[in-house]
Amino acid sequence: MYPQAHEEPHGSGIGARLNWLRAAVLGANDGVVSTAGLVVGVAGATGDRGALLTAGLAGLLAGSMSMAAGEYVSVSTQRDSEQAALATEKQELQEAPEAELVELTGLLEGKGLSRDVAREAALQLTERDALRAHAVVELGIDPDDLTNPWHAAGASFLAFTVGALLPLLAIVLPPAPLRLTVTVLAVLAALALTGWWSARLGDAAVGRAVLRNMCGGAVAMGVTYAAGALLGAAGV
């Protein structure tokens, strides 16, 4: 009796999911830092809850829409490039199938297969689905799993919004004397979490990533608070 195969994710699918997860973490991190910097800066100039809420909501909406639009444009461009590459490959297969077979054989040989095995593998892959074989081996594209700009835009919008909500709620919900303290502590805790998570996803040193993330957020809040305080003192 043969042992049961161990099931685990392989191929480009798991890599794509990790990239999406990493992008979500970074989007949430951006939401935390940018919104925290904004509301803390406003808090340096005024303690009015309405002004803080207005500034925070404006920053949340502007940032999330900007992230979504930017991601949509970026991924749309990537998808267009992938589709153009597939169209070119399809045309080449129609016009010069033998040359494409030789090219595929060379690519497989370059991956460590012997010449004969590479030739046989190229023949079998071509007979099964020539375009898919060239897309995966030559272009690194899965024709059945092209990037989706709407998914990317939605994920970026959601991630930024989730991150931005934390400093927004932290600055408007507590009593006035505790607002800055609660906000700074909540933001630093969130940045420690996103730093830890991003380090784990990238197999990097956790301590360094967490410290770098927290220091960056602390500097951002310090600079914006100082600017707000100066403007408030000047009566602007």
Side-chain angles (χ1 to χ4, degrees):
M1 182 177 181
Y2 293 98
Q4 184 177 2
H6 176 61
E7 295 183 359
E8 61 181 21
H10 293 284
S12 59
I14 185 64
R17 285 192 292 271
L18 285 175
N19 285 335
W20 282 113
L21 185 56
R22 186 177 293 109
V25 173
L26 294 177
N29 192 81
D30 286 344
V32 171
V33 174
S34 61
T35 306
L38 178 61
V39 296
V40 167
V42 174
T46 177
D48 182 68
R49 190 189 301 268
L52 294 171
L53 179 60
T54 300
L57 281 175
L60 184 154
L61 292 173
S64 59
M65 293 300 296
S66 176
M67 287 283 291
E71 195 70 11
Y72 179 83
V73 171
S74 174
V75 175
S76 292
T77 301
Q78 179 183 344
R79 185 183 178 91
D80 291 344
S81 298
E82 291 173 344
Q83 291 177 328
L86 290 173
T88 299
E89 197 62 39
K90 184 177 182 179
Q91 182 178 356
E92 291 175 349
L93 284 167
Q94 293 173 344
E95 296 176 351
E98 186 58 37
E100 289 298 297
L101 179 61
V102 172
E103 181 183 31
L104 182 58
T105 300
L107 291 170
L108 292 172
E109 191 176 3
K111 293 181 179 294
L113 299 180
S114 67
R115 181 68 178 178
D116 292 339
V117 173
R119 174 73 177 183
E120 179 61 27
L123 284 170
Q124 293 188 23
L125 290 171
T126 299
E127 290 175 0
R128 181 176 300 174
D129 190 335
L131 179 59
R132 181 178 180 81
H134 280 267
V136 173
V137 177
E138 180 181 350
L139 305 176
I141 298 174
D142 184 350
D144 300 324
D145 190 26
L146 297 181
T147 53
N148 189 314
W150 288 108
H151 290 172
S156 293
F157 180 91
L158 182 60
F160 188 96
T161 299
V162 170
L165 279 174
L166 185 140
L168 174 58
L169 295 176
I171 201 72
V172 299
L173 292 182
L178 298 177
R179 285 174 187 165
L180 276 178
T181 301
V182 171
T183 301
V184 170
L185 292 178
V187 167
L188 292 179
L191 292 178
L193 178 60
T194 56
W196 172 83
W197 201 352
S198 63
R200 291 297 300 272
L201 289 173
D203 292 327
V206 172
R208 184 182 304 171
V210 169
L211 182 61
R212 182 170 54 231
N213 218 30
M214 293 177 67
C215 287
V219 169
M221 289 186 289
V223 169
T224 56
Y225 180 80
L230 289 173
L231 290 172
V236 178

